[in-house]
Amino acid sequence: MNIVILTGAGISAESGIATFRGPGGLWEGHRVEDVCTPEALARDPALVHRFYDLRRAALETVAPNPAHEALARLDLAWPHDLLIVTQNVDDLHERAGAKRLLHMHGELRSALCAACGTRYPWRGALPLGTVCSRCDAPALRPDIVFFGEMPYAMARIEEALARVDLFVSIGTSGAVYPAAGFVRLAAAYGARTIELNLEPSEGSAWFDESRNGPASALVPAWVDALLAEALA
C-alpha cells in the first residue's frame, strides 16, 4: 500500500509554533501582503528579512512532538512507497527523523538566491544584501514560497498522488491551494482518504474518514494501528 501524507500547521502547533490562521496566529500584527508576497519583498525587503529571521530563530526554542515522531517511525518501518508532503517551513519532521519528505512551501533553514536559484542551508540571520557564493549577486532571500509563487516539487507530488492507495491529511486548514486539492486528486485515482485534524477543516467533506483531536494523540494512535495491521 502506497501512502502520501500531507501535513500542515496543526501538526507543529503543539510544539509551540503558531498556526497560520486565527487569533494569536503567525501573521498577527502583519498583513500577509506585508511579509509573504513577492511584492512585499520588493517593497520592503528589510521587513521581510527581519520577519523570517525571527521565525528562524524561534526554531531554536521548539522540538518535535509525538505526531512528528510517529510519522518518522512510520517512515522508517513502512516497506512500500511513502511520501510526507509538508506545507510547514519548520524542520520538525527532519529533527524527528523523517527522510521521505518534501517541503512544498520552502524551508526556514534554507536561503535562495533570487538571481541564480541556488539554495543554501542556512542558520541564523539572513541580512539583506547577502552575497551568493555561486553568482556573486547580493540576492539571497528566505527560501519560502510566497503567495503567488509556485510551490516546490509539484510534479513529484502529483506523480505520488497518481500511485497512492492511502492519502492522509494532518493538521491542515483545507483552505490553501494547491494542497487543499490533493484529497480530490488522490480520490480520483482511487485512494482511500483520511483527515486527522483538531477540528473539521474546510475540506472535510471530501474525505472518506475524518478524525478530530490533537495531532499528538491522533497521529501516534493511527500509526500504531496501521503498522500493527500491516506487519501482523
Side-chain angles (χ1 to χ4, degrees), residues 4 156-164 167 182-183 185-186 189 191:
V4 173
R156 183 177 170 192
I157 294 168
E158 289 168 2
E159 289 170 5
L161 290 171
R163 302 190 308 271
V164 72
F167 173 77
F182 290 171
V183 59
L185 184 57
Y189 284 112

Side-chain angles (χ1 to χ4, degrees), residues 7-16 63-71 73 92-93 170-171 196-199 211-224:
T7 68
I11 198 170
S12 294
E14 291 175 74
S15 292
N65 65 53
H68 298 104
E69 292 163 355
L71 292 186
R73 183 159 44 87
L92 297 183
H93 282 302
I170 301 171
L196 307 177
N197 214 31
L198 186 61
E199 56 190 23
R211 304 177 191 176
N212 299 133
S216 61
L218 290 180
V219 178
W222 170 71
V223 168
D224 287 344

Side-chain angles (χ1 to χ4, degrees), residues 119-225:
R119 291 185 172 87
Y120 301 89
W122 202 269
R123 300 180 78 94
L126 178 61
L128 182 62
T130 300
V131 173
C132 172
S133 61
R134 180 175 180 182
C135 72
D136 293 326
L140 292 193
R141 54 160 272 190
D143 189 10
I144 302 296
V145 175
F146 292 152
F147 287 95
E149 295 180 330
M150 178 62 68
Y152 295 150
M154 285 301 298
R156 183 177 170 192
I157 294 168
E158 289 168 2
E159 289 170 5
L161 290 171
R163 302 190 308 271
V164 72
D165 301 299
L166 175 64
F167 173 77
V168 184
S169 177
I170 301 171
T172 71
S173 67
V176 179
Y177 284 83
F182 290 171
V183 59
R184 280 173 277 179
L185 184 57
Y189 284 112
R192 180 170 171 247
T193 58
I194 302 175
E195 177 180 65
L196 307 177
N197 214 31
L198 186 61
E199 56 190 23
S201 74
E202 292 186 23
S204 287
W206 296 104
F207 288 86
D208 296 321
E209 180 182 353
S210 184
R211 304 177 191 176
N212 299 133
S216 61
L218 290 180
V219 178
W222 170 71
V223 168
D224 287 344

